[in-house]
């Protein structure tokens, strides 16, 4: 849909654009994806398949390609035939989508040959079922997305042009501009054009020149045009803000926040919602193209599961942990408590399965210990207590009268 080489060049040479893409990727993917389900066998099976083909490793470059060029591609060989899967990312610049007149994808080709002459032998036909395409900012029924950089190309061009002009002037004129007058009209001394040009070439770069020596017919004066750098400040600030708006990245993440009080929180909330939408786009594609296929192969076709991303910051994790703790302490069912304990363990990077395994082993050990019969109303293994001696008659329960000793005797 557009020249991918231009966008790729910006990613390589313009640090600000690359940093923006990296920042969005960090907030969206975080530590990576994981599976949640009530069926632990399904979770273990999907995690094992991800580990074997190293899918988690390719999620990040796949997403970055989608952000920058609009479409990212992962090829997972052997996905349908249940062979050992191997995954890799494909450069979007080499992939072409073939569709019929109804818009259905009929083929995916990869071309790595010369751009000047197309050779049929250089076209590689990829398996549609093994290619996972992620489109970012897809417009209408287009086969490709447009990413986040293409719409900001004009803003980036203006910003770079202003930057280039400012640095050129600062480099050529480190100090105030100088006007040099050569010759003397009263003495009919007119310099040749070649002499004027030669002297002017010396003034082009004054960075390292601190002292000048001239003849009697050369007069030098300083021209005060003010601070040259200040004249670009408003232009650069405007373009900087426009890039922030175009990429939808908060200014506070780009090192600047000039908005009203509390604007950074508002911007961050909106940015997190945007990153959550990106997560939903990825999980939907991965679920349909990859994980549903794996689940069916495992024999868990109709089992529910979720694809999640660990992208929370430390402060967000602390708030989440506090809310889980309040729910557990407030009284909850055994099932809810167990589910929350699993989430807490994941947030704290604790292997919950190992904890659950240890708990089961401890319960078995307790059950295998010899049982000591207890008294009625006592639990097994409870400390043995002497039986309480019951009074022989009601007289024992009465307090002794002062000066009278009551003995335990049969009633006459």
């Amino acid at each position: 849909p557009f020249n991918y080489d231009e966008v790729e060049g910006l990613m390589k040479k313009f640090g600000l654009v690359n940093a923006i893409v990296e920042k969005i990727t960090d907030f969206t993917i975080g530590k990576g994806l994981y599976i949640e389900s009530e069926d632990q066998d399904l979770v273990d099976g999907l995690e094992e398949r991800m580990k074997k083909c190293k899918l988690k490793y390719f999620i990040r470059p796949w997403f970055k390609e989608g952000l920058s060029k609009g479409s990212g591609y992962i090829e997972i060989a052997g996905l349908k035939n249940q062979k050992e899967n191997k995954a890799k990312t494909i450069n979007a610049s080499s992939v072409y989508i073939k569709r019929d007149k109804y818009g259905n994808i009929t083929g995916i080709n990869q071309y790595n040959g010369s751009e000047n002459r197309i050779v049929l032998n250089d076209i590689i036909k990829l398996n549609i079922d093994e290619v996972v395409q992620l489109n970012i900012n897809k417009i209408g029924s287009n086969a490709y997305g447009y990413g986040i950089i293409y719409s900001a190309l004009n803003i980036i061009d203006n910003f770079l042009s202003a930057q280039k002009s400012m640095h050129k002037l600062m480099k050529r004129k480190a100090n105030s501009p100088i006007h040099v007058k050569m010759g003397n009209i009263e003495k009919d001394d007119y310099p040749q054009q070649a002499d004027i040009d030669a002297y002017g070439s010396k003034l082009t770069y004054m960075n390292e020149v601190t002292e000048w020596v001239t003849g009697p017919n050369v007069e030098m004066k300083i021209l005060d045009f003010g601070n040259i750098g200040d004249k670009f400040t408003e232009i650069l600030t405007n373009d900087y803000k426009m890039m922030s708006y175009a990429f939808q990245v908060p200014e506070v993440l780009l090192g600047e926040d000039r908005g009203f009080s509390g604007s950074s929180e508002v911007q961050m909330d909106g940015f997190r919602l945007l990153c959550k939408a990106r997560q939903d786009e990825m999980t939907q594609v991965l679920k349909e193209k990859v994980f549903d296929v794996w689940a069916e192969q495992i024999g868990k076709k109709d089992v529910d599961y979720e694809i999640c991303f660990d992208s929370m910051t430390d402060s967000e994790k602390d708030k989440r942990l506090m809310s889980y703790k309040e729910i557990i302490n407030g009284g909850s069912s055994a099932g809810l408590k167990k589910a929350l304990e699993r989430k807490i363990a994941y947030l704290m990077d604790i292997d919950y399965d190992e904890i659950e395994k240890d708990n089961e082993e401890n319960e078995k050990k307790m059950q295998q210990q010899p049982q000591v019969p207890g008294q009625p109303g006592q639990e097994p293994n409870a400390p043995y207590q002497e039986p309480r001696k019951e009074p022989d008659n009601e007289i024992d329960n009465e307090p002794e009268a002062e000066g009278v000793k009551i003995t335990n005797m049969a009633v006459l």
Side-chain angles (χ1 to χ4, degrees):
F2 58 90
N3 187 0
Y4 285 175
D5 291 338
E6 188 174 359
V7 171
E8 191 171 315
L10 283 171
M11 288 287 293
K12 291 178 179 178
K13 295 182 178 180
F14 189 24
L16 182 59
V17 169
N18 186 64
I20 289 173
V21 173
E22 288 284 355
K23 189 68 68 177
I24 297 174
T25 304
D26 290 340
F27 272 79
T28 303
I29 296 178
K31 294 182 180 180
L33 58 86
Y34 62 97
I35 306 298
E36 279 192 352
S37 174
E38 294 182 357
D39 191 325
Q40 190 58 37
D41 292 336
L42 174 62
V43 174
D44 294 339
L46 295 179
E47 290 282 354
E48 182 65 22
R49 288 179 178 251
M50 277 197 294
K51 184 177 179 180
K52 283 185 177 180
C53 70
K54 300 179 180 179
L55 180 62
K56 292 183 179 181
Y57 172 80
F58 297 105
I59 292 297
R60 189 179 182 90
W62 176 57
F63 182 62
K64 288 179 64 178
E65 280 279 279
L67 285 176
S68 59
K69 299 176 183 178
S71 298
Y73 301 92
I74 293 181
E75 183 181 14
I76 304 179
L79 182 62
K80 287 287 188 179
N81 53 22
Q82 301 190 36
K83 293 182 179 179
E84 184 175 352
N85 303 150
K86 292 184 179 180
K88 68 175 182 179
T89 54
I90 309 174
N91 190 339
S93 302
S94 64
V95 179
Y96 298 87
I97 306 299
K98 184 178 180 181
R99 301 194 298 177
D100 58 20
K101 62 180 181 180
Y102 302 106
N104 300 316
I105 297 178
T106 59
I108 300 177
N109 296 332
Q110 184 179 13
Y111 183 74
N112 293 318
S114 173
E115 296 180 359
N116 299 324
R117 182 172 175 232
I118 297 178
V119 181
L120 294 180
N121 292 334
D122 293 333
I123 298 176
I124 303 172
K125 294 184 178 180
L126 304 177
N127 189 333
I128 298 177
D129 295 330
E130 296 180 349
V131 177
V132 186
Q133 181 182 4
L134 173 67
N135 292 324
I136 302 289
N137 286 344
K138 181 179 177 180
I139 299 176
S141 60
N142 288 343
Y144 310 89
Y146 281 84
I148 64 173
I149 299 178
Y150 179 72
S151 60
L153 286 179
N154 290 335
I155 302 171
I156 295 172
D157 184 57
N158 293 334
F159 182 82
L160 291 176
S161 297
Q163 283 272 352
K164 184 177 180 180
S165 299
M166 182 184 70
H167 286 284
K168 180 182 290 186
L169 288 173
M170 295 299 294
K171 183 177 180 180
R172 288 186 175 182
K173 304 294 181 183
N175 298 311
S176 298
I178 296 177
H179 173 256
V180 177
K181 181 179 178 182
M182 301 178 63
N184 193 322
I185 298 177
E186 297 178 356
K187 296 181 179 180
D188 200 23
D189 180 13
Y190 294 95
Q192 300 293 324
Q193 186 62 42
D195 297 333
I196 297 175
D197 295 339
Y199 207 96
S201 62
K202 296 179 181 180
L203 299 174
T204 302
Y205 296 96
M206 297 176 58
N207 304 57
E208 300 175 358
V209 179
T210 57
E211 297 171 346
W212 292 78
V213 179
T214 64
N217 293 336
V218 176
E219 181 182 355
M220 304 180 72
K221 293 182 179 180
I222 294 176
L223 298 179
D224 188 6
F225 292 115
N227 192 328
I228 299 176
D230 290 345
K231 301 182 183 301
F232 292 91
T233 301
E234 291 186 7
I235 297 174
L236 293 174
T237 300
N238 174 73
D239 293 342
Y240 195 77
K241 281 182 172 290
M242 292 299 294
M243 278 196 291
S244 174
Y245 302 154
F247 291 122
Q248 301 185 59
V249 177
E251 294 174 68
V252 66
L253 291 181
L254 300 179
E256 187 172 353
D257 181 19
R258 298 185 179 183
F260 53 87
S261 177
S263 64
S264 59
E265 289 80 4
V266 176
Q267 292 177 13
M268 288 302 302
D269 288 342
F271 182 63
R272 289 191 181 94
L273 289 175
L274 176 64
C275 292
K276 181 63 173 63
R278 301 293 187 214
Q279 290 177 359
D280 294 340
E281 291 177 15
M282 282 190 289
T283 55
Q284 183 65 27
V285 174
L286 289 171
K287 189 176 189 303
E288 292 179 358
K289 297 285 291 187
V290 182
F291 288 96
D292 282 352
V293 177
W294 283 345
E296 185 175 357
Q297 293 172 358
I298 296 172
K300 304 285 185 178
K301 180 179 179 181
D302 298 325
V303 179
D304 293 331
Y305 66 92
E306 283 188 47
I307 304 173
C308 308
F309 284 90
D310 182 11
S311 57
M312 287 189 293
T313 62
D314 291 340
S315 60
E316 290 174 331
K317 287 184 178 180
D318 291 340
K319 292 180 181 178
R320 187 71 60 87
L321 288 172
M322 289 299 296
S323 63
Y324 290 163
K325 182 179 178 181
E326 291 175 359
I327 295 174
I328 293 175
N329 293 338
S332 57
S333 64
L336 178 59
K337 183 178 179 181
K338 187 175 181 180
L340 291 176
E341 286 177 349
R342 179 179 289 275
K343 289 181 177 293
I344 291 173
Y346 187 85
L347 287 175
M348 300 181 68
D349 292 329
I350 299 174
D351 192 342
Y352 180 80
D353 295 332
E354 288 295 327
I355 297 176
E356 199 171 27
K357 184 178 179 182
D358 292 340
N359 291 337
E360 292 175 357
E361 291 178 356
N362 291 334
E363 290 179 2
K364 290 180 180 179
K365 290 179 181 179
M366 292 293 294
Q367 294 174 0
Q368 293 173 358
Q369 289 181 358
Q371 299 288 325
V372 179
Q375 295 298 315
Q378 292 182 354
E379 295 293 332
N381 292 329
Y384 180 78
Q385 297 179 0
E386 289 290 340
R388 182 176 178 269
K389 185 178 180 181
E390 296 293 335
D392 292 334
N393 51 53
E394 296 180 358
I395 298 177
D396 287 337
N397 293 331
E398 297 295 332
E400 295 182 358
E402 185 177 356
V404 178
K405 184 176 181 181
I406 301 175
T407 61
N408 187 16
M409 56 184 292
V411 179
L412 295 178

